[in-house]
mmCIF file of all heavy atoms in Angstrom:
data_model
loop_
_atom_site.group_PDB
_atom_site.id
_atom_site.type_symbol
_atom_site.label_atom_id
_atom_site.label_comp_id
_atom_site.label_asym_id
_atom_site.label_seq_id
_atom_site.Cartn_x
_atom_site.Cartn_y
_atom_site.Cartn_z
ATOM 1 N N LEU A 21 -37.269 125.010 138.216
ATOM 2 C CA LEU A 21 -38.073 124.831 139.418
ATOM 3 C C LEU A 21 -37.235 124.875 140.679
ATOM 4 O O LEU A 21 -37.603 125.503 141.677
ATOM 5 C CB LEU A 21 -38.858 123.535 139.351
ATOM 6 C CG LEU A 21 -39.774 123.203 140.543
ATOM 7 C CD1 LEU A 21 -40.829 124.294 140.702
ATOM 8 C CD2 LEU A 21 -40.432 121.854 140.349
ATOM 9 N N TYR A 22 -36.090 124.175 140.682
ATOM 10 C CA TYR A 22 -35.268 124.060 141.897
ATOM 11 C C TYR A 22 -34.003 124.900 141.866
ATOM 12 O O TYR A 22 -33.309 124.947 142.879
ATOM 13 C CB TYR A 22 -34.883 122.577 142.089
ATOM 14 C CG TYR A 22 -36.052 121.644 142.275
ATOM 15 C CD1 TYR A 22 -36.402 120.732 141.275
ATOM 16 C CD2 TYR A 22 -36.820 121.677 143.431
ATOM 17 C CE1 TYR A 22 -37.477 119.883 141.445
ATOM 18 C CE2 TYR A 22 -37.900 120.836 143.604
ATOM 19 C CZ TYR A 22 -38.229 119.937 142.592
ATOM 20 O OH TYR A 22 -39.290 119.094 142.768
ATOM 21 N N GLY A 23 -33.724 125.547 140.766
ATOM 22 C CA GLY A 23 -32.491 126.344 140.715
ATOM 23 C C GLY A 23 -31.239 125.487 140.808
ATOM 24 O O GLY A 23 -30.250 125.918 141.421
ATOM 25 N N LEU A 24 -31.243 124.320 140.225
ATOM 26 C CA LEU A 24 -30.100 123.408 140.315
ATOM 27 C C LEU A 24 -28.949 123.910 139.441
ATOM 28 O O LEU A 24 -29.135 124.666 138.517
ATOM 29 C CB LEU A 24 -30.518 121.996 139.838
ATOM 30 C CG LEU A 24 -31.648 121.317 140.624
ATOM 31 C CD1 LEU A 24 -31.938 119.968 139.982
ATOM 32 C CD2 LEU A 24 -31.304 121.134 142.072
ATOM 33 N N ARG A 25 -27.768 123.451 139.795
ATOM 34 C CA ARG A 25 -26.611 123.658 138.931
ATOM 35 C C ARG A 25 -26.644 122.648 137.781
ATOM 36 O O ARG A 25 -27.304 121.602 137.859
ATOM 37 C CB ARG A 25 -25.317 123.490 139.737
ATOM 38 C CG ARG A 25 -25.199 124.424 140.950
ATOM 39 C CD ARG A 25 -23.914 124.144 141.716
ATOM 40 N NE ARG A 25 -23.752 125.050 142.845
ATOM 41 C CZ ARG A 25 -24.147 124.742 144.086
ATOM 42 N NH1 ARG A 25 -24.730 123.581 144.342
ATOM 43 N NH2 ARG A 25 -23.964 125.603 145.066
ATOM 44 N N ARG A 26 -25.942 122.973 136.696
ATOM 45 C CA ARG A 26 -25.928 122.089 135.542
ATOM 46 C C ARG A 26 -25.474 120.676 135.906
ATOM 47 O O ARG A 26 -26.070 119.665 135.552
ATOM 48 C CB ARG A 26 -25.043 122.628 134.444
ATOM 49 C CG ARG A 26 -25.709 123.512 133.441
ATOM 50 C CD ARG A 26 -24.823 123.787 132.269
ATOM 51 N NE ARG A 26 -23.582 124.438 132.610
ATOM 52 C CZ ARG A 26 -22.668 124.821 131.697
ATOM 53 N NH1 ARG A 26 -22.875 124.589 130.418
ATOM 54 N NH2 ARG A 26 -21.564 125.414 132.075
ATOM 55 N N GLY A 27 -24.363 120.623 136.631
ATOM 56 C CA GLY A 27 -23.814 119.305 136.990
ATOM 57 C C GLY A 27 -24.737 118.534 137.914
ATOM 58 O O GLY A 27 -24.785 117.308 137.865
ATOM 59 N N GLU A 28 -25.507 119.261 138.755
ATOM 60 C CA GLU A 28 -26.409 118.600 139.685
ATOM 61 C C GLU A 28 -27.569 117.936 138.972
ATOM 62 O O GLU A 28 -27.920 116.803 139.271
ATOM 63 C CB GLU A 28 -26.911 119.605 140.709
ATOM 64 C CG GLU A 28 -25.888 120.097 141.692
ATOM 65 C CD GLU A 28 -26.390 121.170 142.617
ATOM 66 O OE1 GLU A 28 -27.459 121.741 142.335
ATOM 67 O OE2 GLU A 28 -25.694 121.472 143.610
ATOM 68 N N VAL A 29 -28.163 118.640 138.004
ATOM 69 C CA VAL A 29 -29.320 118.053 137.320
ATOM 70 C C VAL A 29 -28.886 116.876 136.457
ATOM 71 O O VAL A 29 -29.604 115.879 136.341
ATOM 72 C CB VAL A 29 -30.044 119.124 136.494
ATOM 73 C CG1 VAL A 29 -29.238 119.556 135.275
ATOM 74 C CG2 VAL A 29 -31.432 118.639 136.087
ATOM 75 N N LEU A 30 -27.687 116.972 135.868
ATOM 76 C CA LEU A 30 -27.211 115.865 135.041
ATOM 77 C C LEU A 30 -26.712 114.675 135.860
ATOM 78 O O LEU A 30 -26.542 113.591 135.340
ATOM 79 C CB LEU A 30 -26.093 116.367 134.114
ATOM 80 C CG LEU A 30 -26.500 117.432 133.077
ATOM 81 C CD1 LEU A 30 -25.286 117.841 132.250
ATOM 82 C CD2 LEU A 30 -27.608 116.915 132.181
ATOM 83 N N GLY A 31 -26.459 114.898 137.164
ATOM 84 C CA GLY A 31 -25.960 113.837 138.024
ATOM 85 C C GLY A 31 -27.036 113.115 138.796
ATOM 86 O O GLY A 31 -26.752 112.212 139.597
ATOM 87 N N ILE A 32 -28.324 113.451 138.578
ATOM 88 C CA ILE A 32 -29.393 112.775 139.313
ATOM 89 C C ILE A 32 -29.494 111.331 138.805
ATOM 90 O O ILE A 32 -29.544 111.074 137.625
ATOM 91 C CB ILE A 32 -30.733 113.521 139.100
ATOM 92 C CG1 ILE A 32 -30.639 114.937 139.680
ATOM 93 C CG2 ILE A 32 -31.866 112.743 139.758
ATOM 94 C CD1 ILE A 32 -31.888 115.762 139.435
ATOM 95 N N ARG A 33 -29.561 110.402 139.769
ATOM 96 C CA ARG A 33 -29.790 108.996 139.459
ATOM 97 C C ARG A 33 -31.212 108.634 139.770
ATOM 98 O O ARG A 33 -31.893 109.315 140.558
ATOM 99 C CB ARG A 33 -28.823 108.123 140.265
ATOM 100 C CG ARG A 33 -27.341 108.410 140.013
ATOM 101 C CD ARG A 33 -26.475 107.903 141.119
ATOM 102 N NE ARG A 33 -26.755 108.593 142.392
ATOM 103 C CZ ARG A 33 -26.055 108.455 143.496
ATOM 104 N NH1 ARG A 33 -24.997 107.626 143.512
ATOM 105 N NH2 ARG A 33 -26.369 109.096 144.594
ATOM 106 N N TRP A 34 -31.676 107.515 139.207
ATOM 107 C CA TRP A 34 -33.060 107.108 139.458
ATOM 108 C C TRP A 34 -33.276 106.726 140.918
ATOM 109 O O TRP A 34 -34.361 106.908 141.443
ATOM 110 C CB TRP A 34 -33.437 105.922 138.548
ATOM 111 C CG TRP A 34 -33.713 106.362 137.161
ATOM 112 C CD1 TRP A 34 -33.022 106.064 136.040
ATOM 113 C CD2 TRP A 34 -34.769 107.225 136.725
ATOM 114 N NE1 TRP A 34 -33.535 106.654 134.930
ATOM 115 C CE2 TRP A 34 -34.645 107.382 135.333
ATOM 116 C CE3 TRP A 34 -35.807 107.877 137.383
ATOM 117 C CZ2 TRP A 34 -35.506 108.162 134.574
ATOM 118 C CZ3 TRP A 34 -36.685 108.684 136.639
ATOM 119 C CH2 TRP A 34 -36.543 108.792 135.244
ATOM 120 N N ARG A 35 -32.200 106.288 141.579
ATOM 121 C CA ARG A 35 -32.378 105.970 142.986
ATOM 122 C C ARG A 35 -32.498 107.232 143.845
ATOM 123 O O ARG A 35 -32.876 107.165 145.021
ATOM 124 C CB ARG A 35 -31.224 105.095 143.488
ATOM 125 C CG ARG A 35 -29.906 105.838 143.623
ATOM 126 C CD ARG A 35 -28.908 104.937 144.301
ATOM 127 N NE ARG A 35 -27.632 105.646 144.562
ATOM 128 C CZ ARG A 35 -26.652 105.111 145.275
ATOM 129 N NH1 ARG A 35 -26.779 103.903 145.796
ATOM 130 N NH2 ARG A 35 -25.531 105.776 145.491
ATOM 131 N N ASP A 36 -32.141 108.401 143.267
ATOM 132 C CA ASP A 36 -32.309 109.667 143.978
ATOM 133 C C ASP A 36 -33.701 110.196 143.890
ATOM 134 O O ASP A 36 -34.027 111.228 144.524
ATOM 135 C CB ASP A 36 -31.325 110.696 143.414
ATOM 136 C CG ASP A 36 -29.854 110.305 143.615
ATOM 137 O OD1 ASP A 36 -29.570 109.662 144.633
ATOM 138 O OD2 ASP A 36 -29.027 110.633 142.753
ATOM 139 N N VAL A 37 -34.556 109.594 143.061
ATOM 140 C CA VAL A 37 -35.934 110.037 142.876
ATOM 141 C C VAL A 37 -36.847 109.104 143.660
ATOM 142 O O VAL A 37 -36.985 107.922 143.341
ATOM 143 C CB VAL A 37 -36.328 110.034 141.392
ATOM 144 C CG1 VAL A 37 -37.744 110.582 141.214
ATOM 145 C CG2 VAL A 37 -35.323 110.878 140.581
ATOM 146 N N ASP A 38 -37.457 109.655 144.698
ATOM 147 C CA ASP A 38 -38.344 108.858 145.575
ATOM 148 C C ASP A 38 -39.801 109.230 145.216
ATOM 149 O O ASP A 38 -40.371 110.193 145.741
ATOM 150 C CB ASP A 38 -38.060 109.169 147.044
ATOM 151 C CG ASP A 38 -38.802 108.242 147.970
ATOM 152 O OD1 ASP A 38 -39.726 107.527 147.516
ATOM 153 O OD2 ASP A 38 -38.459 108.209 149.171
ATOM 154 N N PHE A 39 -40.379 108.446 144.288
ATOM 155 C CA PHE A 39 -41.763 108.715 143.889
ATOM 156 C C PHE A 39 -42.748 108.415 144.990
ATOM 157 O O PHE A 39 -43.835 109.016 145.064
ATOM 158 C CB PHE A 39 -42.101 107.905 142.626
ATOM 159 C CG PHE A 39 -41.449 108.396 141.366
ATOM 160 C CD1 PHE A 39 -40.399 107.694 140.789
ATOM 161 C CD2 PHE A 39 -41.888 109.579 140.778
ATOM 162 C CE1 PHE A 39 -39.806 108.123 139.640
ATOM 163 C CE2 PHE A 39 -41.272 110.031 139.621
ATOM 164 C CZ PHE A 39 -40.227 109.333 139.044
ATOM 165 N N ASP A 40 -42.419 107.484 145.870
ATOM 166 C CA ASP A 40 -43.351 107.105 146.931
ATOM 167 C C ASP A 40 -43.539 108.188 147.966
ATOM 168 O O ASP A 40 -44.650 108.409 148.476
ATOM 169 C CB ASP A 40 -42.839 105.815 147.623
ATOM 170 C CG ASP A 40 -42.841 104.612 146.680
ATOM 171 O OD1 ASP A 40 -43.650 104.615 145.739
ATOM 172 O OD2 ASP A 40 -41.995 103.698 146.888
ATOM 173 N N HIS A 41 -42.456 108.871 148.297
ATOM 174 C CA HIS A 41 -42.525 109.927 149.334
ATOM 175 C C HIS A 41 -42.398 111.324 148.753
ATOM 176 O O HIS A 41 -42.299 112.294 149.508
ATOM 177 C CB HIS A 41 -41.415 109.692 150.392
ATOM 178 C CG HIS A 41 -41.516 108.391 151.088
ATOM 179 N ND1 HIS A 41 -40.890 107.252 150.634
ATOM 180 C CD2 HIS A 41 -42.187 108.019 152.230
ATOM 181 C CE1 HIS A 41 -41.130 106.258 151.450
ATOM 182 N NE2 HIS A 41 -41.933 106.690 152.412
ATOM 183 N N ASP A 42 -42.384 111.421 147.418
ATOM 184 C CA ASP A 42 -42.307 112.739 146.742
ATOM 185 C C ASP A 42 -41.097 113.533 147.225
ATOM 186 O O ASP A 42 -41.220 114.700 147.673
ATOM 187 C CB ASP A 42 -43.596 113.534 146.961
ATOM 188 C CG ASP A 42 -44.759 112.928 146.202
ATOM 189 O OD1 ASP A 42 -44.542 112.305 145.167
ATOM 190 O OD2 ASP A 42 -45.915 113.121 146.649
ATOM 191 N N VAL A 43 -39.921 112.932 147.114
ATOM 192 C CA VAL A 43 -38.679 113.595 147.501
ATOM 193 C C VAL A 43 -37.650 113.400 146.406
ATOM 194 O O VAL A 43 -37.516 112.311 145.850
ATOM 195 C CB VAL A 43 -38.127 113.034 148.824
ATOM 196 C CG1 VAL A 43 -36.791 113.712 149.186
ATOM 197 C CG2 VAL A 43 -39.147 113.265 149.951
ATOM 198 N N LEU A 44 -36.914 114.472 146.104
ATOM 199 C CA LEU A 44 -35.828 114.424 145.145
ATOM 200 C C LEU A 44 -34.528 114.664 145.887
ATOM 201 O O LEU A 44 -34.314 115.716 146.504
ATOM 202 C CB LEU A 44 -36.023 115.503 144.051
ATOM 203 C CG LEU A 44 -34.913 115.612 142.998
ATOM 204 C CD1 LEU A 44 -34.797 114.312 142.189
ATOM 205 C CD2 LEU A 44 -35.153 116.793 142.076
ATOM 206 N N HIS A 45 -33.616 113.671 145.871
ATOM 207 C CA HIS A 45 -32.340 113.774 146.573
ATOM 208 C C HIS A 45 -31.266 114.312 145.621
ATOM 209 O O HIS A 45 -31.094 113.781 144.529
ATOM 210 C CB HIS A 45 -31.929 112.397 147.110
ATOM 211 C CG HIS A 45 -32.973 111.740 147.958
ATOM 212 N ND1 HIS A 45 -33.260 112.143 149.247
ATOM 213 C CD2 HIS A 45 -33.807 110.687 147.727
ATOM 214 C CE1 HIS A 45 -34.212 111.384 149.755
ATOM 215 N NE2 HIS A 45 -34.561 110.480 148.856
ATOM 216 N N ILE A 46 -30.579 115.326 146.063
ATOM 217 C CA ILE A 46 -29.436 115.856 145.312
ATOM 218 C C ILE A 46 -28.155 115.370 145.997
ATOM 219 O O ILE A 46 -27.847 115.803 147.123
ATOM 220 C CB ILE A 46 -29.458 117.409 145.236
ATOM 221 C CG1 ILE A 46 -30.830 117.886 144.773
ATOM 222 C CG2 ILE A 46 -28.361 117.918 144.315
ATOM 223 C CD1 ILE A 46 -31.232 117.394 143.423
ATOM 224 N N ARG A 47 -27.417 114.456 145.351
ATOM 225 C CA ARG A 47 -26.323 113.782 146.010
ATOM 226 C C ARG A 47 -25.003 113.846 145.245
ATOM 227 O O ARG A 47 -23.962 113.606 145.826
ATOM 228 C CB ARG A 47 -26.682 112.318 146.248
ATOM 229 C CG ARG A 47 -27.807 112.094 147.252
ATOM 230 C CD ARG A 47 -27.385 112.534 148.629
ATOM 231 N NE ARG A 47 -28.425 112.281 149.630
ATOM 232 C CZ ARG A 47 -29.355 113.175 149.977
ATOM 233 N NH1 ARG A 47 -29.367 114.346 149.374
ATOM 234 N NH2 ARG A 47 -30.252 112.884 150.889
ATOM 235 N N GLN A 48 -25.015 114.113 143.949
ATOM 236 C CA GLN A 48 -23.753 114.122 143.184
ATOM 237 C C GLN A 48 -23.917 115.021 141.966
ATOM 238 O O GLN A 48 -25.001 115.581 141.724
ATOM 239 C CB GLN A 48 -23.409 112.699 142.727
ATOM 240 C CG GLN A 48 -24.424 112.086 141.763
ATOM 241 C CD GLN A 48 -23.950 110.812 141.149
ATOM 242 O OE1 GLN A 48 -22.957 110.210 141.576
ATOM 243 N NE2 GLN A 48 -24.605 110.373 140.081
ATOM 244 N N GLN A 49 -22.836 115.168 141.203
ATOM 245 C CA GLN A 49 -22.873 115.959 140.010
ATOM 246 C C GLN A 49 -21.997 115.324 138.922
ATOM 247 O O GLN A 49 -21.143 114.465 139.237
ATOM 248 C CB GLN A 49 -22.424 117.399 140.274
ATOM 249 C CG GLN A 49 -21.005 117.517 140.796
ATOM 250 C CD GLN A 49 -20.600 118.952 141.042
ATOM 251 O OE1 GLN A 49 -21.106 119.876 140.417
ATOM 252 N NE2 GLN A 49 -19.668 119.164 141.984
#
């Protein structure tokens, strides 16, 4: 869906997922 890199998708933390505002933050890998 987002065309992420392998390291980016595996580096997502739960605090990077904002369910309230429907935003996914990409911050590390």
Side-chain angles (χ1 to χ4, degrees):
L21 181 60
Y22 298 109
L24 301 177
R25 302 178 179 93
R26 268 192 301 182
E28 291 175 346
V29 71
L30 296 179
I32 297 176
R33 299 160 297 188
W34 283 115
R35 72 171 184 173
D36 297 327
V37 183
D38 188 347
F39 287 108
D40 295 333
H41 300 90
D42 289 332
V43 177
L44 177 64
H45 305 287
I46 309 300
R47 293 294 182 268
Q48 64 170 13
Q49 61 180 332

